[in-house]
Amino acid sequence: MARKAGSHADITGPAIREVAQRLFAHSGYAAVSMRQIAAEVGVGVGALYLYTPDKQTLLFDLMRDHMSALLDAWEATDKGETPEAQLQAFVSFHIDFHIDRPDAVFLAYMELRNLTPENFAVIEALRRQYEDHLQDILTLGQEAGAFHVEDARVITMALIAMLAGIHVWYRDGGRLSRDRIQTLYLELVRRTVSP
Amino acid sequence: MARKAGSHADITGPAIREVAQRLFAHSGYAAVSMRQIAAEVGVGVGALYLYTPDKQTLLFDLMRDHMSALLDAWEATDKGETPEAQLQAFVSFHIDFHIDRPDAVFLAYMELRNLTPENFAVIEALRRQYEDHLQDILTLGQEAGAFHVEDARVITMALIAMLAGIHVWYRDGGRLSRDRIQTLYLELVRRTVSP
DNA sequence: TTTGTATATGAACAGGTGTTCATTTCAATC
DNA sequence: GATTGAAATGAACACCTGTTCATATACAAA
């Protein structure tokens, strides 16, 4: 046997990435073998290497694409004018974006140490860009007298950690609706920086 | 060669656990081999199996011992009487305990998916116990009118995530002293629940 | 219908995995 | 000094790892 009927690059490529993301998120990069990915996709091992030069690049591409999509989506978001509106926009955006991509979020937070140093630096820079968007909102709001911000960097990290923690307990169809979560966390964030 | 000069069980045993914790935290459970651990300790592979039945149990024991130590240490902490004092005690305790054990904390948060289902259930129950201590403080404080707590479970998870996030950026000898971090986070938590 | 190429295969390679166990060594006890 | 048992060894086992490549097929173009 060799090439199967109905096989196409524009199907296999995305399929490999989807399967890899799911398996990496569930079991961890090091615990997932290329043969497992291939089997789940329904191809032989060799086929994977038509779509990625190696396993490390497969992981890196997944993480980089997630971070790029995150930054692009925030760029495209309507942010409002006042610091209060911008902070609210950031929190709503963050929750919405992340709650729909649990596997990608898991990867981006948990597999950093499995990146080569060069790849890690790239992802870390993207993550820092995202954090800086929030930090800028806080700093400008502080200068405008809209927020009380004792240490912008610390509060940025505290708020991001708080929001990132949602993925630990959130389950689709659980006790709390997405709207309810948005409301609760918006209030928490508002309290954290209110003057 | 077989047994080395000056070798003792009460030295090798702890050494294996320390090395395993450091390597697991740094590279991840699946990426660390028993041969690496043995080499770092300075013994042959076989010696490891005098101290642990298998690799999975080695990981589980590290995580369980960490969680037990956490719960015991909180038990032994002076908590004060008022809800405000208890909340402050919890935050101070949490930061102090976790900042001194970065590897153990990393393990307990990152390697849950590498536990067998049975072992996972045990660790998860211990974690839940710890979370419940905070949740109880919040609920009692709410009932006493000392706190404004919209949803005790959500705020518990949000505060724990916020505190757990410290280990992401904290470095010994960094910009912020331990005392400064305590002060900043105490204020953040206070704001989150103030009536 | 023939040809060219994109797509896929899976055996092969060199090395690594967790775990076992017959064997050896050291240090303490008699 | 002889004996004993705890402590440690490292080769061996069966299997898995990421990656390569000669080979084969299916489809589109000529």
Side-chain angles (χ1 to χ4, degrees):
Chain A
M1 266 189 297
R3 182 177 184 187
K4 287 183 185 170
S7 57
H8 298 293
D10 46 350
I11 292 180
T12 307
I16 288 173
R17 298 166 54 81
E18 278 160 32
V19 166
Q21 181 160 91
R22 194 177 69 243
L23 294 184
F24 286 164
H26 186 264
S27 311
Y29 173 75
V32 174
S33 72
M34 294 300 265
R35 283 171 180 79
Q36 276 175 62
I37 297 172
E40 190 90 356
V41 173
V43 296
V45 221
L48 301 185
Y49 290 88
L50 295 170
Y51 300 93
T52 185
D54 47 44
K55 192 188 179 191
Q56 165 72 202
T57 306
L58 181 53
L59 172 66
F60 173 65
D61 285 345
L62 288 171
M63 295 175 78
R64 193 203 43 205
D65 290 357
H66 169 70
M67 292 307 297
S68 297
L70 175 66
L71 289 167
D72 290 350
W74 171 243
E75 239 23 87
T77 297
D78 186 23
K79 306 177 183 63
E81 292 298 325
T82 67
E84 291 91 341
Q86 292 180 2
L87 184 60
Q88 168 157 355
F90 186 90
V91 173
S92 295
F93 164 80
H94 182 100
I95 294 178
D96 256 342
F97 190 90
H98 285 73
I99 225 168
D100 287 326
R101 295 164 177 80
D103 284 347
V105 170
F106 216 70
L107 263 199
Y109 278 81
M110 304 281 276
E111 298 298 348
L112 287 168
R113 61 184 166 179
N114 286 309
L115 292 170
T116 62
E118 301 79 27
N119 289 343
F120 175 80
V122 173
I123 301 298
E124 198 58 15
L126 293 171
R127 175 191 310 281
R128 180 65 191 233
Q129 264 188 58
Y130 183 66
E131 292 166 2
D132 283 347
H133 285 314
L134 173 57
Q135 190 166 338
D136 289 346
I137 293 173
L138 295 178
T139 304
L140 291 173
Q142 151 89 351
E143 286 162 3
F147 301 149
H148 168 85
V149 177
E150 184 97 6
D151 186 307
R153 182 72 189 145
V154 167
I155 297 189
T156 297
M157 297 309 280
L159 292 182
I160 296 239
M162 204 174 81
L163 293 171
I166 296 176
H167 87 106
V168 171
W169 54 265
Y170 176 79
R171 296 290 174 270
D172 241 26
R175 179 172 69 91
L176 298 168
S177 72
R178 177 186 304 228
D179 261 9
R180 177 78 176 135
I181 292 171
Q182 300 243 11
T183 306
L184 286 168
Y185 275 82
L186 278 169
E187 171 68 4
L188 290 184
V189 172
R190 201 190 57 70
R191 287 169 153 267
T192 304
V193 298
S194 76
Chain B
M1 264 189 300
R3 184 178 184 189
K4 287 184 186 168
S7 56
H8 299 292
D10 47 350
I11 291 180
T12 306
I16 288 172
R17 297 167 55 83
E18 277 159 33
V19 166
Q21 182 161 89
R22 194 177 71 242
L23 294 184
F24 286 164
H26 186 265
S27 311
Y29 172 75
V32 175
S33 73
M34 295 300 267
R35 283 170 181 80
Q36 276 175 62
I37 297 172
E40 191 88 356
V41 173
V43 295
V45 222
L48 301 185
Y49 291 88
L50 294 170
Y51 299 93
T52 185
D54 47 43
K55 192 188 177 190
Q56 165 72 207
T57 306
L58 181 53
L59 172 66
F60 173 64
D61 284 346
L62 288 171
M63 295 176 78
R64 192 203 41 206
D65 289 356
H66 169 70
M67 292 307 297
S68 296
L70 175 67
L71 288 167
D72 290 350
W74 172 243
E75 240 22 89
T77 297
D78 186 23
K79 305 177 184 62
E81 292 298 325
T82 67
E84 290 92 342
Q86 291 181 2
L87 184 59
Q88 169 157 352
F90 185 90
V91 173
S92 296
F93 164 79
H94 181 99
I95 294 177
D96 256 341
F97 190 90
H98 285 72
I99 225 168
D100 286 328
R101 296 164 175 80
D103 285 346
V105 170
F106 216 71
L107 263 199
Y109 278 82
M110 304 281 278
E111 299 297 349
L112 287 167
R113 61 185 167 178
N114 286 308
L115 293 171
T116 62
E118 301 78 29
N119 288 344
F120 174 80
V122 173
I123 301 297
E124 198 57 15
L126 293 172
R127 175 191 310 283
R128 181 64 191 233
Q129 264 188 60
Y130 183 65
E131 292 166 0
D132 284 347
H133 285 315
L134 173 55
Q135 190 166 339
D136 288 346
I137 293 174
L138 295 178
T139 304
L140 291 173
Q142 150 90 353
E143 287 162 2
F147 302 149
H148 166 86
V149 178
E150 184 96 6
D151 186 306
R153 182 73 189 144
V154 166
I155 297 189
T156 297
M157 297 309 280
L159 292 183
I160 296 240
M162 205 174 81
L163 293 172
I166 296 175
H167 87 106
V168 172
W169 53 266
Y170 176 79
R171 297 290 174 270
D172 241 26
R175 178 170 70 91
L176 298 168
S177 73
R178 177 186 301 229
D179 261 10
R180 176 79 176 133
I181 293 172
Q182 299 243 13
T183 305
L184 286 168
Y185 275 83
L186 277 169
E187 171 68 5
L188 290 183
V189 172
R190 201 191 54 72
R191 288 169 152 265
T192 304
V193 300
S194 75

